[in-house]
Amino acid sequence: MRVLFIAATLLAAAPALAGAPASNAVLADASRAPAGRTIIDGAAWSCEGATCTATGGANQPAARACRRVAARFGPVTAFTYKGVELSADQLATCNA
């Protein structure tokens, strides 16, 4: 009985996890993209070409997450962290 309760709880949580806001970055220089997975503040970043996506991550403002990614991967041309997309002005600050 307990196993069924745990299984039902996990199945009920699955849609919430699937709908988690996305985090992604577009790098200005694809050659700076890391090979494999890179963890930054708890977010697991993976890149394909200049486009990087992440799962997880610390509870922090998108602007701070952007600065941390730009410090490791180089300047970004677009950045969204947990569903919050940065404006052009915010991207300029991120890349400074």
Coordinates of all heavy atoms in Angstrom, one line a residue:
M1 N 0.8 -1.2 0.0 CA 0.0 0.0 0.0 C 0.9 1.3 0.0 O 0.6 2.2 -0.7 CB -0.9 0.0 1.2 CG -1.9 1.1 1.2 SD -3.2 0.7 0.1 CE -4.5 1.5 0.8
R2 N 1.9 1.3 0.8 CA 2.8 2.4 0.9 C 3.5 2.7 -0.4 O 3.7 3.8 -0.9 CB 3.8 2.2 2.0 CG 4.7 3.4 2.2 CD 5.6 3.2 3.3 NE 4.9 3.5 4.5 CZ 5.4 3.7 5.7 NH1 6.7 3.6 5.8 NH2 4.7 4.0 6.8
V3 N 3.9 1.6 -1.1 CA 4.5 1.7 -2.4 C 3.6 2.4 -3.4 O 4.0 3.2 -4.2 CB 5.0 0.3 -2.9 CG1 5.5 0.4 -4.3 CG2 6.1 -0.2 -2.0
L4 N 2.3 2.0 -3.4 CA 1.4 2.6 -4.3 C 1.2 4.1 -4.0 O 1.2 4.9 -4.9 CB 0.0 1.9 -4.2 CG 0.0 0.5 -4.8 CD1 -1.4 -0.1 -4.5 CD2 0.3 0.5 -6.2
F5 N 1.2 4.5 -2.8 CA 1.1 5.9 -2.4 C 2.3 6.7 -2.9 O 2.2 7.8 -3.5 CB 1.0 6.1 -0.9 CG 1.0 7.5 -0.4 CD1 -0.1 8.3 -0.6 CD2 2.1 8.1 0.1 CE1 -0.1 9.6 -0.3 CE2 2.1 9.4 0.5 CZ 1.0 10.2 0.3
I6 N 3.5 6.1 -2.8 CA 4.8 6.8 -3.2 C 4.7 6.9 -4.7 O 5.1 8.0 -5.3 CB 6.0 6.0 -2.7 CG1 6.1 6.2 -1.2 CG2 7.3 6.6 -3.4 CD1 7.2 5.3 -0.6
A7 N 4.3 5.9 -5.4 CA 4.3 5.9 -6.9 C 3.3 6.9 -7.4 O 3.6 7.7 -8.3 CB 3.9 4.5 -7.4
A8 N 2.1 7.0 -6.7 CA 1.1 8.0 -7.1 C 1.6 9.4 -6.9 O 1.4 10.3 -7.7 CB -0.2 7.7 -6.3
T9 N 2.3 9.6 -5.8 CA 2.9 10.9 -5.5 C 3.9 11.3 -6.5 O 3.9 12.5 -7.0 CB 3.6 10.9 -4.1 OG1 2.6 10.6 -3.1 CG2 4.1 12.3 -3.7
L10 N 4.8 10.4 -6.9 CA 5.8 10.7 -8.0 C 5.1 11.0 -9.3 O 5.6 11.9 -10.0 CB 6.8 9.6 -8.1 CG 7.7 9.4 -6.9 CD1 8.6 8.1 -7.1 CD2 8.6 10.6 -6.7
L11 N 4.1 10.3 -9.6 CA 3.4 10.5 -10.9 C 2.7 11.9 -10.9 O 2.7 12.6 -11.9 CB 2.5 9.4 -11.2 CG 3.1 8.1 -11.6 CD1 2.0 7.0 -11.8 CD2 3.8 8.2 -12.9
A12 N 2.2 12.3 -9.8 CA 1.5 13.5 -9.7 C 2.5 14.7 -9.8 O 2.2 15.8 -10.3 CB 0.7 13.6 -8.4
A13 N 3.7 14.5 -9.3 CA 4.7 15.5 -9.4 C 5.4 15.7 -10.7 O 5.9 16.7 -11.1 CB 5.8 15.3 -8.3
A14 N 5.3 14.7 -11.6 CA 6.0 14.7 -12.9 C 5.6 15.8 -13.8 O 6.4 16.5 -14.3 CB 5.8 13.3 -13.6
P15 N 4.3 16.1 -13.9 CA 3.9 17.3 -14.7 C 4.5 18.6 -14.2 O 4.8 19.4 -15.0 CB 2.4 17.3 -14.7 CG 2.0 15.9 -14.4 CD 3.1 15.4 -13.5
A16 N 4.5 18.8 -12.9 CA 5.1 20.0 -12.4 C 6.6 20.1 -12.8 O 7.0 21.2 -13.1 CB 4.9 20.0 -10.9
L17 N 7.3 19.0 -12.7 CA 8.7 19.1 -13.1 C 8.9 19.3 -14.6 O 9.8 20.0 -15.0 CB 9.4 17.8 -12.7 CG 9.5 17.5 -11.2 CD1 10.0 16.1 -10.9 CD2 10.3 18.6 -10.5
A18 N 8.0 18.7 -15.4 CA 8.1 18.9 -16.8 C 7.8 20.3 -17.2 O 8.4 20.8 -18.2 CB 7.2 17.9 -17.5
G19 N 7.0 21.0 -16.4 CA 6.7 22.4 -16.8 C 7.6 23.4 -16.2 O 7.2 24.6 -16.2
A20 N 8.7 23.0 -15.6 CA 9.6 23.9 -15.0 C 10.1 24.9 -16.0 O 10.4 24.6 -17.1 CB 10.8 23.2 -14.3
P21 N 10.2 26.2 -15.6 CA 10.7 27.2 -16.6 C 12.1 26.9 -17.1 O 12.9 26.4 -16.4 CB 10.7 28.5 -15.8 CG 9.8 28.3 -14.6 CD 9.9 26.8 -14.3
A22 N 12.3 27.2 -18.4 CA 13.5 26.9 -19.0 C 14.6 27.9 -18.7 O 14.3 29.1 -18.5 CB 13.3 26.8 -20.5
S23 N 15.8 27.5 -18.7 CA 17.0 28.4 -18.7 C 17.8 28.1 -19.9 O 18.1 27.0 -20.3 CB 17.8 28.1 -17.4 OG 17.1 28.3 -16.2
N24 N 18.1 29.2 -20.6 CA 18.9 29.0 -21.8 C 19.7 30.3 -22.1 O 19.4 31.4 -21.6 CB 18.1 28.6 -23.0 CG 17.0 29.6 -23.3 OD1 17.3 30.8 -23.6 ND2 15.8 29.2 -23.2
A25 N 20.8 30.1 -22.8 CA 21.7 31.2 -23.2 C 22.1 31.0 -24.6 O 22.3 29.8 -25.1 CB 22.9 31.2 -22.3
V26 N 22.3 32.1 -25.4 CA 22.9 32.0 -26.7 C 24.2 32.7 -26.6 O 24.3 33.9 -26.2 CB 22.0 32.7 -27.8 CG1 22.6 32.6 -29.1 CG2 20.6 32.0 -27.8
L27 N 25.3 32.0 -26.9 CA 26.6 32.6 -26.8 C 27.0 33.4 -28.0 O 26.6 33.0 -29.1 CB 27.6 31.4 -26.6 CG 27.4 30.5 -25.4 CD1 28.5 29.4 -25.4 CD2 27.2 31.2 -24.1
A28 N 27.7 34.5 -27.8 CA 28.2 35.3 -28.9 C 29.3 34.5 -29.7 O 29.4 34.7 -30.9 CB 28.8 36.6 -28.4
D29 N 30.0 33.7 -29.0 CA 31.1 32.9 -29.7 C 30.9 31.4 -29.4 O 31.2 31.0 -28.3 CB 32.4 33.4 -29.2 CG 33.6 32.7 -29.8 OD1 33.4 31.8 -30.7 OD2 34.8 33.0 -29.4
A30 N 30.4 30.7 -30.3 CA 30.1 29.2 -30.1 C 31.4 28.4 -29.8 O 31.3 27.4 -29.1 CB 29.5 28.6 -31.4
S31 N 32.5 28.9 -30.2 CA 33.8 28.2 -29.8 C 34.1 28.2 -28.3 O 34.9 27.4 -27.9 CB 35.0 28.8 -30.6 OG 35.3 30.1 -30.1
R32 N 33.4 29.1 -27.6 CA 33.6 29.1 -26.1 C 32.7 28.2 -25.4 O 32.8 28.0 -24.2 CB 33.4 30.5 -25.6 CG 34.2 31.6 -26.2 CD 35.4 32.0 -25.4 NE 35.4 32.0 -24.0 CZ 35.3 33.1 -23.2 NH1 35.3 34.3 -23.8 NH2 35.3 33.0 -21.9
A33 N 31.8 27.5 -26.1 CA 30.8 26.6 -25.5 C 31.6 25.4 -24.9 O 32.5 24.8 -25.6 CB 29.8 26.1 -26.5
P34 N 31.3 25.0 -23.7 CA 32.0 23.9 -23.1 C 31.5 22.6 -23.8 O 30.4 22.4 -24.2 CB 31.6 23.9 -21.7 CG 30.2 24.6 -21.7 CD 30.3 25.6 -22.8
A35 N 32.5 21.6 -23.8 CA 32.1 20.3 -24.2 C 31.5 19.5 -23.0 O 32.1 19.6 -21.9 CB 33.3 19.5 -24.7
G36 N 30.4 18.9 -23.1 CA 29.8 18.2 -22.0 C 29.0 19.1 -21.1 O 28.7 20.3 -21.5
R37 N 28.7 18.7 -19.9 CA 27.9 19.4 -19.0 C 28.8 20.2 -18.0 O 29.8 19.8 -17.6 CB 27.1 18.4 -18.2 CG 26.0 19.0 -17.4 CD 25.1 17.9 -16.8 NE 25.8 17.3 -15.7 CZ 25.3 16.6 -14.7 NH1 24.0 16.4 -14.8 NH2 26.0 16.1 -13.8
T38 N 28.3 21.5 -17.7 CA 29.0 22.3 -16.8 C 28.1 22.8 -15.8 O 27.0 23.3 -16.1 CB 29.6 23.6 -17.6 OG1 30.5 23.1 -18.6 CG2 30.3 24.5 -16.6
I39 N 28.4 22.7 -14.5 CA 27.6 23.1 -13.4 C 28.0 24.5 -13.0 O 29.1 24.8 -12.6 CB 27.7 22.1 -12.2 CG1 27.5 20.7 -12.6 CG2 26.8 22.6 -11.0 CD1 26.1 20.4 -13.1
I40 N 27.0 25.4 -12.9 CA 27.2 26.8 -12.5 C 26.1 27.1 -11.5 O 24.9 27.1 -11.9 CB 27.2 27.8 -13.6 CG1 28.3 27.5 -14.6 CG2 27.4 29.2 -13.1 CD1 28.3 28.3 -15.9
D41 N 26.4 27.3 -10.2 CA 25.5 27.6 -9.2 C 24.3 26.6 -9.1 O 23.2 27.0 -9.0 CB 24.9 29.0 -9.4 CG 25.9 30.1 -9.1 OD1 26.9 29.8 -8.5 OD2 25.7 31.2 -9.6
G42 N 24.7 25.4 -9.3 CA 23.7 24.3 -9.2 C 22.9 24.0 -10.5 O 22.2 23.0 -10.6
A43 N 23.1 24.8 -11.5 CA 22.4 24.6 -12.8 C 23.4 23.8 -13.7 O 24.5 24.1 -13.8 CB 22.1 25.9 -13.5
A44 N 22.8 22.8 -14.3 CA 23.6 21.9 -15.2 C 23.4 22.4 -16.7 O 22.4 22.2 -17.3 CB 23.1 20.4 -15.1
W45 N 24.4 23.1 -17.2 CA 24.4 23.7 -18.5 C 25.0 22.7 -19.5 O 26.1 22.1 -19.3 CB 25.2 25.0 -18.5 CG 24.5 26.1 -17.8 CD1 24.7 26.4 -16.5 CD2 23.6 27.0 -18.3 NE1 23.9 27.5 -16.2 CE2 23.2 27.9 -17.3 CE3 23.0 27.2 -19.6 CZ2 22.3 28.9 -17.4 CZ3 22.1 28.2 -19.7 CH2 21.7 29.0 -18.7
S46 N 24.3 22.5 -20.7 CA 24.8 21.8 -21.8 C 24.6 22.6 -23.0 O 23.6 23.3 -23.2 CB 24.0 20.5 -22.0 OG 24.2 19.7 -20.8
C47 N 25.6 22.6 -23.9 CA 25.6 23.4 -25.1 C 25.6 22.6 -26.4 O 26.3 21.6 -26.4 CB 26.7 24.4 -25.1 SG 26.8 25.5 -23.7
E48 N 24.9 23.1 -27.4 CA 25.0 22.5 -28.7 C 25.2 23.8 -29.6 O 24.3 24.6 -29.8 CB 23.7 21.8 -29.1 CG 23.8 21.1 -30.4 CD 22.7 20.2 -30.7 OE1 22.3 19.4 -29.8 OE2 22.1 20.2 -31.8
G49 N 26.4 23.9 -30.2 CA 26.7 25.1 -30.9 C 26.8 26.3 -30.0 O 27.3 26.2 -28.9
A50 N 26.1 27.3 -30.3 CA 26.1 28.5 -29.5 C 24.9 28.5 -28.5 O 24.8 29.4 -27.7 CB 26.0 29.8 -30.4
T51 N 24.0 27.5 -28.6 CA 22.8 27.5 -27.8 C 23.1 26.6 -26.6 O 23.4 25.4 -26.7 CB 21.6 27.0 -28.6 OG1 21.4 27.9 -29.7 CG2 20.4 27.0 -27.7
C52 N 22.9 27.1 -25.4 CA 23.1 26.3 -24.1 C 21.8 26.3 -23.4 O 21.0 27.3 -23.3 CB 24.2 27.0 -23.3 SG 25.8 27.2 -24.1
T53 N 21.5 25.2 -22.8 CA 20.3 25.0 -21.9 C 20.7 24.5 -20.6 O 21.7 23.8 -20.5 CB 19.3 24.1 -22.6 OG1 19.9 22.8 -22.8 CG2 18.7 24.7 -23.9
A54 N 19.9 24.7 -19.6 CA 20.2 24.3 -18.2 C 19.0 23.8 -17.5 O 17.8 24.2 -17.8 CB 20.8 25.4 -17.4
T55 N 19.2 22.9 -16.6 CA 18.2 22.4 -15.7 C 18.7 22.7 -14.3 O 19.9 22.7 -14.0 CB 17.9 20.9 -15.8 OG1 19.2 20.2 -15.6 CG2 17.4 20.6 -17.2
G56 N 17.7 22.9 -13.4 CA 18.1 23.2 -12.0 C 18.7 24.6 -11.8 O 18.5 25.4 -12.7
G57 N 19.3 24.8 -10.7 CA 20.0 26.0 -10.5 C 19.6 26.7 -9.2 O 18.5 26.4 -8.7
A58 N 20.4 27.5 -8.7 CA 20.2 28.3 -7.4 C 19.0 29.2 -7.6 O 18.7 29.7 -8.7 CB 21.4 29.0 -7.0
N59 N 18.4 29.5 -6.5 CA 17.3 30.5 -6.5 C 18.0 31.9 -6.4 O 18.4 32.4 -5.3 CB 16.4 30.3 -5.3 CG 15.2 31.2 -5.3 OD1 14.9 31.8 -6.4 ND2 14.5 31.4 -4.2
Q60 N 18.2 32.5 -7.6 CA 18.9 33.8 -7.7 C 18.3 34.6 -8.8 O 17.6 34.0 -9.7 CB 20.4 33.6 -7.9 CG 20.7 32.9 -9.2 CD 22.2 32.6 -9.3 OE1 23.0 33.2 -8.7 NE2 22.5 31.6 -10.1
P61 N 18.5 35.9 -8.9 CA 18.0 36.7 -10.0 C 18.7 36.3 -11.3 O 19.8 35.9 -11.3 CB 18.5 38.1 -9.6 CG 18.7 38.1 -8.1 CD 19.2 36.7 -7.8
A62 N 17.9 36.4 -12.4 CA 18.4 36.1 -13.7 C 19.6 36.8 -14.1 O 20.5 36.3 -14.7 CB 17.3 36.3 -14.7
A63 N 19.7 38.1 -13.7 CA 20.9 38.9 -14.0 C 22.2 38.4 -13.4 O 23.2 38.3 -14.0 CB 20.7 40.4 -13.6
R64 N 22.1 37.9 -12.2 CA 23.2 37.3 -11.5 C 23.6 36.0 -12.2 O 24.8 35.7 -12.5 CB 23.0 37.0 -10.0 CG 24.2 36.5 -9.3 CD 23.9 36.2 -7.8 NE 25.1 35.9 -7.1 CZ 25.9 34.9 -7.2 NH1 25.7 34.0 -8.1 NH2 27.0 34.8 -6.4
A65 N 22.6 35.2 -12.5 CA 22.9 33.9 -13.2 C 23.6 34.2 -14.5 O 24.5 33.5 -14.9 CB 21.6 33.1 -13.4
C66 N 23.1 35.2 -15.2 CA 23.7 35.6 -16.5 C 25.2 36.0 -16.4 O 26.1 35.5 -17.1 CB 22.9 36.8 -17.1 SG 23.5 37.2 -18.8
R67 N 25.5 36.8 -15.4 CA 26.9 37.2 -15.1 C 27.8 36.0 -14.9 O 28.9 35.9 -15.3 CB 27.0 38.2 -14.0 CG 26.5 39.6 -14.3 CD 26.8 40.6 -13.3 NE 26.3 40.3 -11.9 CZ 25.1 40.5 -11.5 NH1 24.2 41.2 -12.2 NH2 24.8 40.2 -10.2
R68 N 27.3 35.0 -14.1 CA 28.0 33.8 -13.8 C 28.3 33.0 -15.0 O 29.4 32.5 -15.2 CB 27.3 33.0 -12.7 CG 27.0 33.8 -11.4 CD 28.2 33.8 -10.5 NE 28.3 32.5 -9.9 CZ 29.5 32.0 -9.5 NH1 30.5 32.7 -9.5 NH2 29.5 30.7 -9.0
V69 N 27.3 32.9 -15.9 CA 27.4 32.1 -17.2 C 28.4 32.8 -18.1 O 29.3 32.2 -18.7 CB 26.0 31.9 -17.8 CG1 26.2 31.3 -19.2 CG2 25.2 30.9 -17.0
A70 N 28.2 34.1 -18.3 CA 29.1 34.9 -19.1 C 30.5 34.9 -18.7 O 31.5 34.8 -19.5 CB 28.6 36.4 -19.2
A71 N 30.8 34.8 -17.4 CA 32.1 34.7 -16.9 C 32.8 33.4 -17.3 O 34.0 33.4 -17.5 CB 32.1 34.9 -15.3
R72 N 32.0 32.4 -17.4 CA 32.6 31.0 -17.8 C 32.6 30.8 -19.3 O 33.5 30.2 -19.8 CB 31.8 29.9 -17.1 CG 31.8 29.9 -15.6 CD 33.1 29.2 -15.0 NE 33.2 27.8 -15.3 CZ 32.6 26.8 -14.6 NH1 31.9 27.1 -13.5 NH2 32.8 25.6 -14.9
F73 N 31.5 31.2 -20.0 CA 31.3 30.9 -21.4 C 31.6 32.0 -22.3 O 31.5 31.9 -23.5 CB 29.9 30.4 -21.6 CG 29.5 29.2 -20.9 CD1 28.1 28.8 -20.8 CD2 30.4 28.3 -20.2 CE1 27.7 27.7 -20.1 CE2 30.0 27.2 -19.5 CZ 28.7 26.9 -19.4
G74 N 31.8 33.2 -21.8 CA 31.9 34.4 -22.7 C 30.6 35.1 -22.9 O 29.6 34.7 -22.3
P75 N 30.6 36.3 -23.6 CA 29.4 37.1 -23.8 C 28.2 36.3 -24.3 O 28.4 35.3 -25.1 CB 29.8 38.2 -24.8 CG 31.3 38.2 -24.6 CD 31.8 36.8 -24.3
V76 N 27.0 36.7 -23.9 CA 25.8 36.1 -24.4 C 25.0 37.1 -25.2 O 25.0 38.3 -25.0 CB 25.0 35.5 -23.3 CG1 25.7 34.4 -22.5 CG2 24.6 36.6 -22.3
T77 N 24.2 36.6 -26.2 CA 23.4 37.5 -27.0 C 21.9 37.4 -26.6 O 21.1 38.2 -27.0 CB 23.5 37.2 -28.5 OG1 23.1 35.8 -28.7 CG2 24.9 37.4 -29.0
A78 N 21.6 36.3 -25.8 CA 20.2 36.1 -25.3 C 20.4 35.3 -24.0 O 21.3 34.4 -23.9 CB 19.3 35.4 -26.3
F79 N 19.5 35.5 -23.0 CA 19.6 34.8 -21.8 C 18.2 34.8 -21.1 O 17.6 35.8 -20.9 CB 20.6 35.4 -20.8 CG 21.0 34.6 -19.6 CD1 21.9 33.6 -19.7 CD2 20.3 34.7 -18.4 CE1 22.2 32.8 -18.7 CE2 20.6 33.9 -17.3 CZ 21.6 33.0 -17.5
T80 N 17.8 33.5 -20.7 CA 16.6 33.3 -19.9 C 17.0 32.4 -18.8 O 17.6 31.4 -19.0 CB 15.5 32.7 -20.8 OG1 15.3 33.5 -21.9 CG2 14.2 32.5 -20.0
Y81 N 16.6 32.8 -17.6 CA 16.9 31.9 -16.4 C 15.6 31.7 -15.7 O 14.9 32.6 -15.2 CB 17.9 32.6 -15.5 CG 18.4 31.8 -14.4 CD1 19.2 30.7 -14.6 CD2 18.0 32.0 -13.1 CE1 19.7 29.9 -13.6 CE2 18.5 31.2 -12.0 CZ 19.3 30.2 -12.3 OH 19.8 29.4 -11.3
K82 N 15.2 30.4 -15.6 CA 14.0 30.0 -14.9 C 12.8 30.8 -15.4 O 12.0 31.2 -14.6 CB 14.2 30.0 -13.4 CG 15.2 29.0 -12.9 CD 15.3 29.0 -11.4 CE 16.2 27.9 -11.0 NZ 16.2 27.7 -9.5
G83 N 12.7 31.0 -16.7 CA 11.6 31.7 -17.3 C 11.6 33.2 -17.4 O 10.8 33.8 -18.0
V84 N 12.7 33.8 -16.8 CA 12.8 35.2 -16.8 C 13.8 35.6 -17.9 O 15.0 35.2 -17.8 CB 13.3 35.8 -15.5 CG1 13.6 37.3 -15.5 CG2 12.4 35.4 -14.4
E85 N 13.4 36.3 -19.0 CA 14.2 36.7 -20.1 C 14.8 38.1 -19.8 O 14.1 39.0 -19.4 CB 13.4 36.7 -21.4 CG 14.2 37.0 -22.6 CD 13.4 36.8 -23.9 OE1 12.2 36.5 -23.8 OE2 14.0 37.1 -24.9
L86 N 16.1 38.2 -20.1 CA 16.7 39.5 -19.9 C 16.5 40.4 -21.1 O 16.5 39.9 -22.2 CB 18.2 39.3 -19.6 CG 18.6 38.5 -18.4 CD1 20.2 38.6 -18.2 CD2 18.0 39.1 -17.2
S87 N 16.4 41.7 -20.8 CA 16.3 42.7 -21.9 C 17.6 43.0 -22.5 O 18.7 42.6 -22.0 CB 15.7 44.0 -21.3 OG 16.6 44.6 -20.4
A88 N 17.7 43.8 -23.6 CA 18.9 44.2 -24.2 C 19.8 44.9 -23.2 O 21.0 44.7 -23.2 CB 18.7 45.0 -25.4
D89 N 19.2 45.8 -22.4 CA 20.0 46.6 -21.4 C 20.6 45.6 -20.4 O 21.8 45.8 -20.0 CB 19.2 47.7 -20.8 CG 18.9 48.8 -21.7 OD1 19.6 49.0 -22.7 OD2 17.9 49.6 -21.4
Q90 N 19.8 44.7 -19.9 CA 20.3 43.7 -18.9 C 21.4 42.9 -19.5 O 22.3 42.5 -18.8 CB 19.1 42.9 -18.4 CG 18.1 43.7 -17.6 CD 16.9 42.9 -17.3 OE1 16.3 42.3 -18.2 NE2 16.4 42.9 -16.0
L91 N 21.3 42.5 -20.8 CA 22.3 41.7 -21.4 C 23.6 42.5 -21.5 O 24.7 41.9 -21.3 CB 21.9 41.2 -22.8 CG 20.9 40.2 -22.9 CD1 20.4 39.9 -24.3 CD2 21.4 38.9 -22.3
A92 N 23.5 43.8 -21.8 CA 24.7 44.6 -21.9 C 25.4 44.6 -20.5 O 26.6 44.5 -20.4 CB 24.4 46.0 -22.3
T93 N 24.7 44.8 -19.4 CA 25.2 44.7 -18.1 C 25.8 43.4 -17.8 O 26.9 43.3 -17.2 CB 24.1 45.1 -17.1 OG1 23.6 46.4 -17.3 CG2 24.7 45.1 -15.6
C94 N 25.1 42.3 -18.2 CA 25.6 41.0 -18.0 C 27.0 40.8 -18.6 O 27.9 40.2 -18.0 CB 24.6 40.0 -18.5 SG 25.2 38.3 -18.6
N95 N 27.1 41.3 -19.8 CA 28.4 41.1 -20.6 C 29.5 42.0 -20.2 O 30.6 41.9 -20.7 CB 28.1 41.2 -22.1 CG 27.3 40.0 -22.6 OD1 27.5 38.8 -22.2 ND2 26.3 40.3 -23.4
A96 N 29.2 43.1 -19.4 CA 30.2 44.1 -19.1 C 31.3 43.5 -18.3 O 31.2 42.6 -17.5 CB 29.6 45.2 -18.4

